[in-house]
Amino acid sequence: MQPVCLVIGAGAGIGSNVASRFAREGYHAVLCRRSDEEGLSRSVARIAEDGGAASGFLLNAVAPDAIEERIAAVEADIGPVEVAVYNLGAQIGDRSLAETSHKVFELGWRLGTFGLFRMASAVCPLMEQRGRGTLLVTSSTAAMRGNQGQHSHAAAMGGRRMLCQSLNAEFGPKGIHVAHIVIDGMVDAPDTLGRMLGDEAFQRLREERGLEHDGLLLPAEIADTYFQLARQHRSAWTHEIDLRAFSDTPWWNR
Amino acid sequence: MQPVCLVIGAGAGIGSNVASRFAREGYHAVLCRRSDEEGLSRSVARIAEDGGAASGFLLNAVAPDAIEERIAAVEADIGPVEVAVYNLGAQIGDRSLAETSHKVFELGWRLGTFGLFRMASAVCPLMEQRGRGTLLVTSSTAAMRGNQGQHSHAAAMGGRRMLCQSLNAEFGPKGIHVAHIVIDGMVDAPDTLGRMLGDEAFQRLREERGLEHDGLLLPAEIADTYFQLARQHRSAWTHEIDLRAFSDTPWWNR
Amino acid sequence: MQPVCLVIGAGAGIGSNVASRFAREGYHAVLCRRSDEEGLSRSVARIAEDGGAASGFLLNAVAPDAIEERIAAVEADIGPVEVAVYNLGAQIGDRSLAETSHKVFELGWRLGTFGLFRMASAVCPLMEQRGRGTLLVTSSTAAMRGNQGQHSHAAAMGGRRMLCQSLNAEFGPKGIHVAHIVIDGMVDAPDTLGRMLGDEAFQRLREERGLEHDGLLLPAEIADTYFQLARQHRSAWTHEIDLRAFSDTPWWNR
Amino acid sequence: MQPVCLVIGAGAGIGSNVASRFAREGYHAVLCRRSDEEGLSRSVARIAEDGGAASGFLLNAVAPDAIEERIAAVEADIGPVEVAVYNLGAQIGDRSLAETSHKVFELGWRLGTFGLFRMASAVCPLMEQRGRGTLLVTSSTAAMRGNQGQHSHAAAMGGRRMLCQSLNAEFGPKGIHVAHIVIDGMVDAPDTLGRMLGDEAFQRLREERGLEHDGLLLPAEIADTYFQLARQHRSAWTHEIDLRAFSDTPWWNR
């Protein structure tokens, strides 16, 4: 049975690129995303065209049992989840406190923190039995510091970071590699940045900063670092790493 | 009308000591705690005996509208909440991932992160109208780093810390002082440490490390720092501060 | 014999204000600064007018034995140094790498890191014998993160911060309180900010942001926090604290 | 002309392994170490045997002009330094403040902070002209937090970390990749850990924790991550990364 790389949050940016990268290295990539069945099929097809193995599933990470059942089905039907990638953002955007309803704040947590907890709760016992496994957690600037308009997002991501450290403390010595990956900048991704800015502004930004200027994080390049993390030898594992475009300003500078 | 110092989480440790300290300085102290009506009455009575003004309310911070309605009632009936203290722990204790149910993880967040968000959402608009106010947030080691058995607790506290930084970014410039206070050690408090350890072990620890050895954090001394933070001039505000016993090891050392 | 509060770096800003504050509380303030004998005399005279005890000395902190001999003389002639304040900046300013000579980089370290090490080496053994003492270390944004033009300054301040944590680990349990105080913003001080900007720009800035707007850190208010730190009970000591004007942006935001 | 990977601090652990790794990928490896000419020759010979290009030089990094002249000679005689690795420890060991002489404290800084500054001052202008280059800086736990007995070491490493952030702020946008690599654990290296512990204790530790247990950081595996950092695409660069053995405890836990 092929080892599986499971990606929760497999949009057209980091998620599907990570899936492709692992598929190219012999993993069966399992892509899960909430909506856009067409986009999902396209990602799966592209991997197959490149000679890789992939499956795609729509998955609402907030729905009860959805994550748990998907993992159980993948393990039963496809293969052991050797690498689990949690790539869901908190997707709340920039809002003042007054504009952040209780519901929105809770949704941020459900996507940003609780979903990762659920994925880990489902997959870590299986990995522990096998004595190995990798959890790659996409994270963001907001995991490192709160900021204006980030009440929900930063609280969710701060929780995510501390959860990763707690998972690492329990499961590292059991052979499970937990990595918290701080994406500290804008990613050249139509599904997230593109949707946030709108088509026109997104294209303008790509021309000004991205494309040949390399001022936006390229998802394929991010994916390469994800893969390198997964193949680190257990005598020299990384728990936390940051990534940003060379011309960009790190979160601690202005 | 007297200015109010509202304490959510007014157990016999930090909470009631902070209430007393502010009462001594002329605030009307409003103590809220989930249970132990007798303990609550004792705390209120002790403040009154010392010549201070105090009121006590049972408050289940997890119940819908409980925080919001309490704040509205205090503002209507007692006075403006000039100082709001969020002193609820995530109260989950040391548990492996397998022992941390979805429900427990969520409860940690409700107490640790969401309750603070709700308090801030209710009280910040009032403070903003008045052009001033203070939010004192008790926090813990787990806000700074995750650890074994802390999946729920650290995720909740990490969220709390990032939320405090987000609140500070929006409300600092509006004259609202937000302080994130890292209590990095064991507090000599019967309601929390005492209940966690059991009576006998608690007394043994007090004799070995606490009492005249000052190896446990004394809540009255902690309360003094809370008060000093609240009276800082707005030209020189503290956002983050740590506190521990002199003989204790900081979280970053071993 | 009166307890002494020794201030190394007693310019017209934080240093002399801290000296005044402690003098007001019954300490003999000993002010040391490198130059401007007239300014030093004025600071000493002002404390005396307010009914406090103070002495002033010119001290070149970079000269061999200068710090060590001053501390020995103060202990012999004036009284025990109960509180030692290290308030020297690295005073290098904003320079590209090409503009930072070896000499300048080394000077930054001599003022920023080595001077504190020398002060601690001279004063900690005396405090250890007495079983108590306080080291208050003024620090800055550059201790928390490097930035453009800060090669010398940030390296010196980063060293200062780690040295404070090392001193704390060794001497905290011996009753010596070490506090690292992050001044995260511009201080309304003629000797440092004033000299840096020039008179005219300094006055303009004071009118725009400082004075009644409280957008600059007021040294007298900073000094108040220094004093509160020194009087913290040893069961609840602070090691690290930040300070900034309410309207200012913390180093981790932009 | 072959691109050069210059390693300052090329002992038998991380340094020579990084050199080998880059040699295997087509770089001319230039190994510099202070002493043990025989060990140096062995490292160079081993690279040659594997079909790589390498040169070795004795270099006292503390001597005036030594780093600067070596870099100039390498650029003139061998090729452009595309990758510069600073791998000198502060080599001071565990000492109380009383045991840390002024001279020892200064030596820690010369090796830990100043040497990196000198290397950067010599090599960054050349890299800037070429519009590209990589600075890989080995760092340690002590860059993240001070501890007992680490007065010199932590001050030096804290300075190193802030210097890396300052270099990154100036040179990142100019196409120079600066990476601060936190080696958070004991490395299976005879020249450093071996010398520190003595032969017998080192072998015992290797048997108990290292070798097949992977409880010590293996230098060849560390070197692999160094190489992956150097080949990251500039749209997704890492500035800070940590590394430790899977079974080890991160610095923030105990």
Side-chain angles (χ1 to χ4, degrees):
Chain A
M1 248 174 162
Q2 247 182 324
V4 166
C5 169
L6 170 72
V7 180
I8 295 185
I14 297 176
S16 68
N17 276 277
V18 168
S20 302
R21 186 72 173 88
F22 279 86
R24 230 193 305 152
E25 306 284 345
Y27 289 79
H28 187 118
V30 177
L31 294 83
C32 303
R33 61 182 298 177
R34 187 167 52 91
S35 57
D36 188 4
E37 193 153 12
E38 212 183 290
L40 179 62
S41 303
R42 254 197 321 270
S43 296
V44 169
R46 206 169 300 133
I47 293 175
E49 282 160 30
D50 291 350
S55 312
F57 301 96
L58 290 183
L59 171 75
N60 178 1
V62 165
D65 302 322
I67 293 176
E68 294 76 9
E69 289 173 0
R70 177 50 54 213
I71 289 173
V74 167
E75 289 263 337
D77 304 340
I78 306 185
V81 178
E82 298 275 350
V83 178
V85 180
Y86 195 79
N87 187 50
L88 283 176
Q91 299 170 354
I92 301 299
D94 187 18
R95 292 168 189 247
S96 71
L97 187 66
E99 291 161 348
T100 311
S101 68
H102 287 199
K103 217 171 137 178
V104 156
F105 191 81
E106 179 164 345
L107 181 62
W109 171 76
R110 290 206 176 274
L111 291 163
T113 317
F114 190 50
L116 170 61
F117 169 74
R118 288 170 58 195
M119 184 184 91
S121 294
V123 89
C124 285
L126 303 168
M127 291 178 169
E128 190 179 345
Q129 275 171 35
R130 297 191 279 259
R132 70 171 184 283
T134 304
L135 246 62
L136 301 175
V137 181
T138 303
S139 193
S140 71
T141 314
M144 309 306 282
R145 56 113 171 91
N147 207 349
Q148 205 144 8
Q150 302 287 309
H151 305 289
S152 169
H153 187 225
M157 287 300 175
R160 181 179 290 194
R161 183 171 183 239
M162 290 300 102
L163 176 55
C164 284
Q165 293 187 2
S166 300
L167 291 169
N168 176 64
E170 182 171 340
F171 293 101
K174 294 175 174 170
I176 303 176
H177 185 181
V178 182
H180 180 255
I181 306 167
V182 181
I183 306 295
D184 183 30
M186 287 185 292
V187 179
D188 186 10
D191 280 6
T192 44
L193 189 59
R195 197 170 304 169
M196 210 167 81
L197 297 175
D199 260 9
E200 208 182 328
F202 178 49
Q203 288 315 327
R204 212 167 35 239
L205 184 72
R206 292 188 82 202
E207 269 151 47
E208 279 165 17
R209 290 191 43 183
L211 301 176
E212 68 246 58
H213 309 290
D214 299 328
L216 299 176
L217 284 143
L218 296 177
E221 302 298 339
I222 295 174
D224 190 54
T225 288
Y226 277 58
F227 180 68
Q228 300 305 337
L229 290 169
R231 51 178 287 283
Q232 283 183 325
H233 187 265
R234 68 176 192 166
S235 80
W237 274 354
T238 291
H239 176 66
E240 191 160 84
I241 182 173
D242 55 12
L243 287 171
R244 68 186 62 76
F246 81 106
S247 56
D248 211 350
T249 306
W251 66 264
W252 57 81
N253 285 145
R254 49 177 98 142
Chain B
M1 250 177 162
Q2 248 181 323
V4 167
C5 169
L6 169 74
V7 181
I8 294 185
I14 297 175
S16 68
N17 276 276
V18 169
S20 303
R21 184 72 172 87
F22 279 86
R24 228 191 308 150
E25 306 285 344
Y27 289 79
H28 186 117
V30 177
L31 294 82
C32 302
R33 61 181 298 177
R34 186 168 54 91
S35 57
D36 188 4
E37 191 153 13
E38 213 181 288
L40 178 62
S41 303
R42 255 198 319 273
S43 296
V44 169
R46 204 168 303 131
I47 293 174
E49 283 162 28
D50 290 351
S55 313
F57 302 95
L58 290 182
L59 171 75
N60 179 0
V62 167
D65 302 322
I67 293 176
E68 295 75 9
E69 288 172 359
R70 178 50 53 214
I71 289 173
V74 167
E75 289 262 338
D77 304 341
I78 307 185
V81 178
E82 298 275 349
V83 178
V85 180
Y86 195 79
N87 187 51
L88 282 177
Q91 300 170 356
I92 301 298
D94 188 17
R95 292 169 189 244
S96 70
L97 186 66
E99 293 161 349
T100 310
S101 66
H102 286 198
K103 217 171 136 177
V104 156
F105 190 83
E106 178 164 345
L107 181 61
W109 171 75
R110 290 207 176 276
L111 291 163
T113 317
F114 190 51
L116 170 60
F117 169 74
R118 289 171 56 196
M119 185 184 92
S121 294
V123 89
C124 285
L126 304 167
M127 291 179 169
E128 191 180 344
Q129 275 170 34
R130 296 191 280 259
R132 70 172 185 282
T134 303
L135 245 62
L136 301 174
V137 181
T138 303
S139 194
S140 71
T141 316
M144 309 306 284
R145 56 112 171 94
N147 208 349
Q148 204 145 12
Q150 302 287 309
H151 305 287
S152 168
H153 186 223
M157 286 300 176
R160 182 178 290 193
R161 183 172 183 241
M162 289 301 102
L163 177 55
C164 284
Q165 292 187 3
S166 300
L167 291 169
N168 176 64
E170 182 170 339
F171 293 101
K174 294 176 175 169
I176 302 176
H177 184 181
V178 181
H180 180 255
I181 307 167
V182 181
I183 306 295
D184 183 30
M186 287 186 291
V187 179
D188 187 10
D191 280 7
T192 45
L193 189 61
R195 196 170 303 170
M196 210 166 82
L197 297 176
D199 261 10
E200 207 180 329
F202 178 50
Q203 288 314 326
R204 210 165 39 238
L205 184 73
R206 293 188 81 203
E207 269 151 46
E208 280 164 17
R209 290 191 43 184
L211 300 174
E212 69 248 55
H213 308 289
D214 299 327
L216 299 175
L217 284 143
L218 297 176
E221 302 297 341
I222 294 173
D224 190 54
T225 289
Y226 278 58
F227 180 68
Q228 300 305 338
L229 289 170
R231 52 179 287 283
Q232 283 183 323
H233 186 266
R234 68 176 191 163
S235 80
W237 275 355
T238 291
H239 177 67
E240 191 161 84
I241 182 173
D242 56 12
L243 288 171
R244 68 187 60 78
F246 80 107
S247 56
D248 212 349
T249 306
W251 67 263
W252 58 80
N253 286 144
R254 50 177 98 143
Chain C
M1 250 176 161
Q2 245 181 326
V4 166
C5 169
L6 169 72
V7 181
I8 295 185
I14 297 176
S16 67
N17 277 276
V18 168
S20 303
R21 186 70 173 87
F22 279 86
R24 229 192 306 150
E25 305 285 344
Y27 289 80
H28 187 118
V30 176
L31 293 82
C32 303
R33 61 181 298 178
R34 186 167 54 90
S35 58
D36 187 3
E37 193 152 12
E38 213 181 289
L40 179 62
S41 303
R42 255 197 320 272
S43 295
V44 169
R46 204 168 303 131
I47 293 174
E49 280 161 31
D50 290 351
S55 313
F57 301 95
L58 290 183
L59 171 75
N60 178 1
V62 167
D65 302 321
I67 292 176
E68 295 76 7
E69 289 173 359
R70 178 49 54 212
I71 288 173
V74 166
E75 288 264 337
D77 304 341
I78 306 184
V81 178
E82 298 276 349
V83 178
V85 180
Y86 194 79
N87 188 51
L88 282 176
Q91 299 169 355
I92 300 297
D94 188 17
R95 291 168 190 246
S96 71
L97 186 66
E99 292 161 349
T100 310
S101 66
H102 287 197
K103 217 171 137 177
V104 155
F105 190 82
E106 178 164 344
L107 180 62
W109 171 75
R110 290 206 177 275
L111 292 162
T113 318
F114 190 51
L116 170 61
F117 169 74
R118 288 170 57 195
M119 185 183 92
S121 294
V123 89
C124 285
L126 303 167
M127 290 178 169
E128 190 179 344
Q129 275 171 34
R130 296 190 281 260
R132 70 171 184 282
T134 303
L135 245 61
L136 301 174
V137 181
T138 303
S139 193
S140 71
T141 315
M144 308 307 281
R145 56 115 172 92
N147 208 349
Q148 204 146 10
Q150 302 286 309
H151 305 288
S152 168
H153 187 225
M157 287 301 177
R160 182 178 290 193
R161 184 171 182 240
M162 290 300 103
L163 177 55
C164 284
Q165 292 188 3
S166 300
L167 291 168
N168 177 64
E170 181 170 339
F171 292 102
K174 295 176 174 169
I176 302 176
H177 185 181
V178 181
H180 180 254
I181 308 165
V182 181
I183 306 295
D184 183 30
M186 288 185 292
V187 180
D188 186 10
D191 281 6
T192 45
L193 189 60
R195 197 169 303 169
M196 210 166 83
L197 297 176
D199 260 9
E200 208 181 327
F202 178 51
Q203 287 315 326
R204 211 165 39 235
L205 184 73
R206 294 189 79 201
E207 268 150 48
E208 280 165 17
R209 291 190 44 183
L211 301 175
E212 69 249 54
H213 309 289
D214 299 326
L216 300 175
L217 284 143
L218 296 176
E221 301 299 339
I222 295 173
D224 191 54
T225 288
Y226 278 57
F227 180 68
Q228 300 304 338
L229 289 170
R231 53 178 285 284
Q232 281 183 324
H233 187 265
R234 67 176 192 164
S235 81
W237 276 354
T238 291
H239 176 67
E240 191 160 86
I241 183 174
D242 56 11
L243 288 171
R244 69 186 60 77
F246 81 107
S247 56
D248 211 350
T249 306
W251 66 264
W252 58 81
N253 285 144
R254 50 177 96 143
Chain D
M1 249 174 161
Q2 247 181 323
V4 166
C5 170
L6 169 73
V7 180
I8 294 185
I14 297 175
S16 67
N17 277 278
V18 168
S20 301
R21 186 72 172 88
F22 279 86
R24 227 191 308 150
E25 306 284 345
Y27 289 79
H28 187 118
V30 176
L31 294 82
C32 303
R33 60 181 299 177
R34 187 168 52 91
S35 58
D36 188 3
E37 192 153 14
E38 213 180 290
L40 179 61
S41 302
R42 253 196 324 270
S43 296
V44 169
R46 203 169 303 133
I47 293 174
E49 281 161 30
D50 290 351
S55 314
F57 301 96
L58 290 183
L59 171 74
N60 178 0
V62 166
D65 302 322
I67 292 175
E68 294 77 7
E69 289 173 358
R70 178 49 56 212
I71 289 173
V74 166
E75 289 263 336
D77 303 341
I78 306 184
V81 178
E82 297 276 349
V83 178
V85 181
Y86 195 79
N87 188 50
L88 283 175
Q91 299 171 353
I92 301 298
D94 189 16
R95 293 167 188 247
S96 70
L97 187 66
E99 291 161 350
T100 310
S101 67
H102 286 199
K103 217 171 135 176
V104 155
F105 190 82
E106 179 164 345
L107 180 62
W109 171 76
R110 289 204 177 277
L111 291 162
T113 317
F114 191 51
L116 170 60
F117 169 74
R118 287 171 57 195
M119 185 183 91
S121 294
V123 89
C124 285
L126 303 167
M127 291 177 168
E128 190 179 345
Q129 275 171 35
R130 296 191 280 260
R132 70 171 184 280
T134 303
L135 246 62
L136 300 175
V137 181
T138 302
S139 193
S140 71
T141 315
M144 308 307 283
R145 57 114 172 89
N147 207 349
Q148 206 146 7
Q150 302 286 309
H151 305 289
S152 168
H153 187 224
M157 286 300 176
R160 182 178 290 194
R161 184 171 182 241
M162 290 300 103
L163 176 55
C164 285
Q165 292 188 3
S166 300
L167 291 169
N168 176 64
E170 182 171 339
F171 292 102
K174 294 176 175 170
I176 302 177
H177 184 181
V178 182
H180 181 254
I181 307 166
V182 181
I183 306 295
D184 184 31
M186 287 185 293
V187 179
D188 186 10
D191 281 6
T192 44
L193 189 61
R195 197 171 301 169
M196 210 168 82
L197 297 175
D199 260 10
E200 209 181 327
F202 179 49
Q203 288 313 328
R204 211 166 37 237
L205 183 72
R206 293 189 81 201
E207 270 150 47
E208 281 165 16
R209 292 191 42 185
L211 301 176
E212 68 247 57
H213 308 291
D214 299 328
L216 299 176
L217 284 143
L218 296 177
E221 301 298 340
I222 295 174
D224 191 53
T225 289
Y226 278 58
F227 180 68
Q228 300 305 338
L229 290 169
R231 53 178 285 286
Q232 282 182 325
H233 187 265
R234 67 176 192 165
S235 80
W237 275 355
T238 291
H239 177 67
E240 191 160 84
I241 182 173
D242 56 10
L243 288 171
R244 68 187 62 77
F246 80 106
S247 55
D248 212 350
T249 306
W251 67 262
W252 57 80
N253 286 144
R254 48 175 99 143

